């Protein structure tokens, strides 16, 4: 099968958009965003219920009880086997799904949208329920793109011309629904996905984001993801902290990318890591962490909001940051369904907590400015890792409601991205795109060979 088109689909899409009526375009966008918001809203509610039940079960039982330990071990093994079977059934759900979406928009990968929606939905819940350090946001973007693809195929006969705007609109709606951040969704489409800006495409993406936001905020009632209580601004005499934090998280982002990509490629090539072992390993590690270092696991350790008032010593914060980054890389390298963004943001919050602890001890900031440093480092680590500073800045401003800190957030994001560029660190999703293409080609080659056509073009 040949996936690469001679003319990029997005260019054909621009021509089609010029002849499409505005009311029809608006209706298509609203339907895409509304359905995506409903799917992601259901996903977020389901995850909240599962996570609450898991945490309550662990807190309500003694881990020293052999039967409790056995039940946890059996549950983790079953979850690992289920994650492995889902990957065997649909390899496109591996990882965050963002590189796959970008390659689909460019015409280089297919979108098996029905399978992707349900398999990504279930697979990400399995990963999160097993305690793996993965995020829901990348999967929400891929599920949104798959929903958009389905809407486009139902609406029109000409799939090749209608898929790109639905994929992009669905991605924007997915990020909006995951974070409650419509402006960040638009920035993501035009900064990270390199979508050509045109009035019809901008209108479609904006309406899809607005529709998804309405479903998430009004119908489901989700509020801000990071509602910090006290985010004081930095005075002019304290602005030297901004480039300091930008450089620090820029270097951290470069190191994070290097560890993540090298570990993933090692797992791809190593004969010691067949897929069942590779997928099962982080689930078992999660069980060990539950006994020996539960602070690394979501629901058992401090979250970003807890770091605002949690007085941990600098050494403990540094250890937790290192363990969180390493476990996030191990979780992602396993290939399970799950994203990078939420663990990345928590890593940024931990880095900000380290900076706040040090600066507080030196009397360089006040206690009311600790949360501000968390926000700056979260935006900076996102920008240095993904290399999308405008998206990172918009994301943290919307997720925290910290509009008064917008100048510092924007500057920190761009300085962090610049620092990562100076270290020759490629953006994480660029590094993962070629891997996704190679995996799909290998999969298609096996299918062609099994069908008796080993020489077929892939």
């Amino acid at each position: 099968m040949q996936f690469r088109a001679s003319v990029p689909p997005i260019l054909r899409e621009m021509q089609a958009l010029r002849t499409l009526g505005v009311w029809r375009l608006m209706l298509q966008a609203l339907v895409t965003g509304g359905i995506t918001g409903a799917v992601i809203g259901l996903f977020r509610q389901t995850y909240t219920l599962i996570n609450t039940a898991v945490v309550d079960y662990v807190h309500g039982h003694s881990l020293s009880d052999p039967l409790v330990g056995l039940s946890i071990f059996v549950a983790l093994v079953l979850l690992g086997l289920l994650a492995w079977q889902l990957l065997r059934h649909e390899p496109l759900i591996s990882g965050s799904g963002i590189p796959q979406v970008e390659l689909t928009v460019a015409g280089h990968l297919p979108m098996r949208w029905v399978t992707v929606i349900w398999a990504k939905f279930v697979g990400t819940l399995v990963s999160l329920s097993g305690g793996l350090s993965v995020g829901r946001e990348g999967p929400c973007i891929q599920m949104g793109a798959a929903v958009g693809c389905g809407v486009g195929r139902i609406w029109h006969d000409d799939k090749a011309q209608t898929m790109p705007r639905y994929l992009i609109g669905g991605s924007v709606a997915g990020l909006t629904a995951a974070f409650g951040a419509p402006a960040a969704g638009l920035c993501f489409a035009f900064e990270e996905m390199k979508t050509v800006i045109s009035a019809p495409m901008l209108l479609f993406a904006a309406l899809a984001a607005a529709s998804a936001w309405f479903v998430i905020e009004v119908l489901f009632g989700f509020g801000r993801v990071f509602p910090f209580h006290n985010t004081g601004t930095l005075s002019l005499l304290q602005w030297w902290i901004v480039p300091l934090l930008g450089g620090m998280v820029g270097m951290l982002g470069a190191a994070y990318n290097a560890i993540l990509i090298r570990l993933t490629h090692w797992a791809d090539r190593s004969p010691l890591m067949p897929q069942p072992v590779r997928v099962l390993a982080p689930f078992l590690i999660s069980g060990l962490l539950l006994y020996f270092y539960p602070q690394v696991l979501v629901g058992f350790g401090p979250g970003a909001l807890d770091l605002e008032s949690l007085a941990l010593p600098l050494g403990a914060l540094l250890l937790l940051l290192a363990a969180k980054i390493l476990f996030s890389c191990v979780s992602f390298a396993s290939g399970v369904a799950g994203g990078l963004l939420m663990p990345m943001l928590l890593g940024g919050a931990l880095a900000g907590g380290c900076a706040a602890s040090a600066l507080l001890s030196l009397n360089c900031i006040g206690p009311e400015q600790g949360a501000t440093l968390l926000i700056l480092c979260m935006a900076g680590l996102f920008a240095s890792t993904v290399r999308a500073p405008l998206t990172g800045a918009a994301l943290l401003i919307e997720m925290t409601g910290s509009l008064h800190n917008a100048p510092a957030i924007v500057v920190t994001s761009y300085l962090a991205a610049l620092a990562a560029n100076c270290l020759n660190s490629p953006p994480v999703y660029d590094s993962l795109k070629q891997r996704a293409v190679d995996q799909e080609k290998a999969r298609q080659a096996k299918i062609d060979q099994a069908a008796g056509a080993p020489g077929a073009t892939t």
Side-chain angles (χ1 to χ4, degrees):
M1 181 181 291
Q2 178 66 272
F3 298 126
R4 187 178 299 276
S6 57
V7 178
I10 191 64
L11 297 182
R12 297 198 303 269
E13 178 78 339
M14 290 177 64
Q15 178 61 35
L17 286 173
R18 293 190 182 98
T19 61
L20 192 66
V22 65
W23 292 110
R24 189 177 185 182
L25 181 74
M26 292 171 64
L27 181 58
Q28 293 170 353
L30 292 173
V31 171
T32 300
I35 296 177
T36 299
V39 172
I40 304 307
L42 178 62
F43 174 82
R44 289 180 61 177
Q45 273 198 340
T46 305
Y47 166 64
T48 300
L49 292 174
I50 292 175
N51 186 62
T52 301
V54 170
V55 172
D56 288 345
Y57 175 82
V58 173
H59 285 163
H61 296 79
S62 173
L63 293 179
S64 60
D65 187 339
L67 290 179
V68 174
L70 179 62
S71 66
I72 293 174
F73 173 77
V74 171
L76 289 173
V77 170
L78 291 177
L79 289 172
L81 293 175
L82 179 56
W84 170 49
Q85 289 299 318
L86 288 169
L87 282 173
R88 289 185 64 193
H89 180 71
E90 180 49 84
L92 286 178
I93 67 169
S94 175
S96 70
I98 293 175
Q100 293 92 319
V101 171
E102 294 182 11
L103 289 166
T104 302
V105 172
H108 301 325
L109 281 182
M111 173 61 79
R112 296 179 283 270
W113 63 275
V114 174
T115 308
V116 166
I117 291 173
W118 74 261
K120 194 74 171 186
F121 191 106
V122 175
T124 307
L125 287 177
V126 167
S127 301
L128 293 169
S129 301
L132 272 61
S133 183
V134 295
R136 65 175 185 257
E137 295 68 33
C140 288
I141 291 172
Q142 188 178 24
M143 284 189 284
V147 168
C149 181
V151 172
R153 292 193 174 187
I154 292 171
W155 205 293
H156 284 289
D157 294 326
D158 191 351
K159 303 183 188 68
Q161 288 188 352
T162 58
M163 275 183 60
R165 73 171 172 273
Y166 287 103
L167 288 166
I168 293 167
S171 299
V172 171
L175 191 146
T176 298
F179 287 118
L186 289 174
C187 292
F188 178 84
F190 297 104
E191 184 179 35
E192 168 60 26
M193 298 183 71
K194 308 298 189 297
T195 303
V196 180
I197 299 178
S198 65
M201 186 63 77
L202 184 60
L203 176 63
F204 192 96
L207 287 177
S211 179
W213 178 88
F214 177 84
V215 172
I216 286 292
E217 295 290 333
V218 178
L219 300 185
F220 281 93
F222 290 108
R224 287 181 181 143
V225 179
F226 297 125
F228 289 106
H229 297 295
N230 194 359
T231 55
T233 58
L234 298 176
S235 68
L236 289 177
L237 294 178
Q238 292 176 311
W239 260 72
W240 59 271
I241 296 175
V242 171
L244 176 67
L245 296 181
M248 180 186 75
V249 292
M251 291 186 287
L252 180 61
Y256 177 84
N257 284 5
I259 296 171
L260 178 73
I261 297 303
R262 290 178 183 177
L263 187 60
T264 302
H265 285 321
W266 174 82
D268 287 340
R269 297 188 297 263
S270 176
L272 301 175
M273 298 294 288
Q275 192 179 49
V277 175
R278 179 178 179 177
V279 172
L280 190 58
F283 286 91
L284 298 181
I285 293 173
S286 173
L288 292 175
L289 288 172
L290 181 62
Y291 276 85
F292 298 106
Y293 198 12
Q295 292 85 352
V296 178
L297 303 178
V298 175
F300 299 95
L305 294 176
D306 300 318
L307 293 172
E308 181 181 7
S309 56
L310 189 63
L312 286 176
L314 180 58
L317 286 171
L318 288 172
L319 177 61
L320 184 57
L321 173 61
K324 186 66 179 179
I325 288 179
L326 184 59
F327 186 48
S328 297
C329 292
V330 170
S331 298
F332 186 85
S334 69
V336 298
L340 295 170
L341 300 186
M342 190 58 81
M344 184 193 306
L345 292 176
L346 181 54
L350 287 168
C354 293
S357 177
L359 293 175
L360 275 169
S361 65
L362 297 173
N363 294 319
C364 295
I365 62 171
E368 74 283 355
Q369 295 173 315
T372 302
L373 268 61
L374 301 182
I375 296 170
L376 296 181
C377 287
M378 292 165 77
L381 188 59
F382 179 99
S384 62
T385 305
V386 181
R387 217 60 47 81
L390 188 59
T391 303
L395 188 63
L396 267 298
I397 291 170
E398 289 184 287
M399 292 173 72
T400 63
S402 186
L403 186 61
H404 54 285
N405 281 314
I409 295 173
V410 172
V411 173
T412 304
S413 297
Y414 275 94
L415 289 176
L418 177 62
N421 279 335
C422 291
L423 293 172
N424 296 318
S425 171
V428 64
Y429 292 129
D430 286 0
S431 300
L432 294 172
K433 284 180 190 177
Q434 187 58 48
R435 175 175 174 267
V437 171
D438 293 341
Q439 287 180 332
E440 182 62 22
K441 285 183 177 181
R443 176 183 179 276
Q444 193 62 53
K446 290 180 181 179
I447 294 175
D448 291 340
Q449 189 172 11
T457 302
T458 60

